Amino acid sequence: MQVSGFSVPFPSEWGRGESTNAYILKGKMTALVDAGLDSPNNREYIKGQLKKLSSWKVDLLLITHGHIDHFGLASYIQGETGAEIYIHEDDSPALKNYRKALTWLDEVYALAIEGGFSDIDLREARIRQSVALDIMGVPKDFKTFRKLELDMGDQKLSTIHLPGHTPGSVGYVLGEIVFSGDVALDGSTVVGDLRGELESIQKLKTFREVYTGHRRTPINAMDLEALEAHIAQRLEEVLRVTREGKTLREIVSAIYPASMMLEENFIRKIIPIRQVVSYLRYLEEEGYIVKNGAIWRSFKEHL
Ligand SMILES: [Zn+2]
Ligand SMILES: [Zn+2]
C-alpha cells in the first residue's frame, strides 16, 4: 500500500493560510481520506493532485467526520470518478443537510449572546458563513457505518471510533498508522465534547503515526501527550479566571485575547467561544464550576 498526502487550501473567505490534509492510499483499490473545501480553484487543484497520484482514479472516499472542510469536495469527486463515499452514521446528518448539522452553532450562539457578546458582531459573521455554505454541494449518494472493514487488496483497512471533535469522528486504520481527522491536531484542537475527546486522544496514543486533518502531519504519542498537557493547562486557566465569577465574554477574552480583536471570518470568531463552552461544560459536569444565570463560577483553583 502506498500512502501519500497533500493539503487542500482554504478559500480566502474561510481563512488565510489554512488548509485541510488529504491522503491517498493506493493498493489494488484507491482510497482518498478526506477532501477539502469546495471552490472552483480547489476543484482544479484536487483534480491535478489526484491525476498525478492516482491517475484520477478513486474507488473509496473515506470521510473522517462531518465537517465541510473534510467533505466539501466529496460531491465533485464522486461526480467525476464514481467513488463510493463513507462516513460514520453519527456524522451522516451533515452530508444530508449541512445546515441541519449546525445545531451546535445555535447553542453556542445563544450562550454567546447571553454571555455578553454583541449580536451585531456575530450576525455579520453568520451571514458570511451562510454565503460560504451556499456554494457547496452535498453528495447524492453515500454509505454510513458504525464499524467498517474494507479489503484494499494487499491490506485491510478498518475504523476506530474517535468521538469528541464530533460525535461520529473516526480514524481509518492501516496496521500501525491511523488517519484521524481533527480529533487531535499538532498543538491544539477544536473540542466539541471534551470527555469524549480525552478518551479518543488516549486511543490514538497506541498508533505509531497519526495522520491529522490539519497542520503538521503525522504526529505521534509524544505530540499527543503535549496536546493533553495543553488541554489541562487551558482547564486550569478557566478555573482560575472564573474564581470570581465571570461571563462567557469575559472568560473568552481572558483565555483567547487575540480573538476579541479579530474582524475576520466567522470560524476564527466562533471557535474560541465554542472551545471555552466545551471546557466550561466539562468542568461543570465534573463539579468544578457552577453556572448561575450568565455567570460561571469555579470552586477550586486546580484540577
Ligand atoms: Zn472538524
Ligand atoms: Zn477540519
Side-chain angles (χ1 to χ4, degrees), residues 10 20 65 67 69-70 165 182 213-214:
F10 277 26
T20 305
H65 65 289
H67 282 165
D69 54 324
H70 297 261
H165 177 70
D182 292 356
H214 304 279

Side-chain angles (χ1 to χ4, degrees), residues 100-263:
K100 277 194 187 152
L102 286 174
T103 50
W104 64 266
L105 197 61
D106 298 325
E107 239 177 283
V108 172
Y109 187 73
L111 278 170
I113 298 298
E114 180 204 52
F117 281 90
S118 123
D119 187 34
I120 298 158
D121 223 29
L122 292 176
R123 204 166 43 208
E124 165 70 10
R126 285 199 107 184
I127 291 164
R128 291 207 213 174
Q129 169 90 353
S130 303
V131 171
L133 282 180
D134 283 339
I135 61 167
M136 63 159 276
V138 287
K140 284 190 297 291
D141 189 32
F142 57 89
K143 293 196 160 83
T144 65
F145 61 86
R146 296 210 72 78
K147 178 100 185 99
L148 191 65
E149 286 219 4
L150 291 167
D151 190 355
M152 298 283 292
D154 51 350
Q155 225 175 333
K156 286 239 176 344
L157 185 137
S158 62
T159 56
I160 178 171
H161 191 200
L162 301 169
H165 177 70
T166 63
S169 282
V170 297
Y172 292 97
V173 178
L174 267 184
E176 290 181 295
I177 70 171
V178 61
F179 302 87
S180 57
D182 292 356
V183 174
L185 302 176
D186 182 31
S188 66
T189 192
V190 178
V191 176
D193 163 42
L194 183 56
R195 187 177 320 246
E197 181 76 33
L198 293 171
E199 282 168 22
S200 293
I201 292 173
Q202 280 303 323
K203 292 187 204 167
L204 285 178
K205 282 189 194 167
T206 58
F207 293 92
R208 185 169 53 83
E209 287 179 318
V210 176
Y211 288 84
T212 60
H214 304 279
R215 303 186 202 147
R216 178 172 68 84
T217 187
I219 59 171
N220 59 29
M222 239 170 64
D223 299 311
L224 292 165
E225 271 164 28
L227 175 61
E228 285 174 324
H230 169 79
I231 292 172
Q233 194 197 325
R234 286 291 193 222
L235 291 172
E236 300 266 2
E237 279 172 38
V238 172
L239 284 181
R240 199 159 9 94
V241 168
T242 50
R243 201 73 183 88
E244 310 279 298
K246 288 279 190 289
T247 65
L248 183 58
R249 188 173 198 280
E250 289 166 335
I251 305 165
V252 174
S253 49
I255 308 282
Y256 299 103
S259 76
M260 308 301 286
M261 320 296 287
L262 289 171
E263 283 302 312

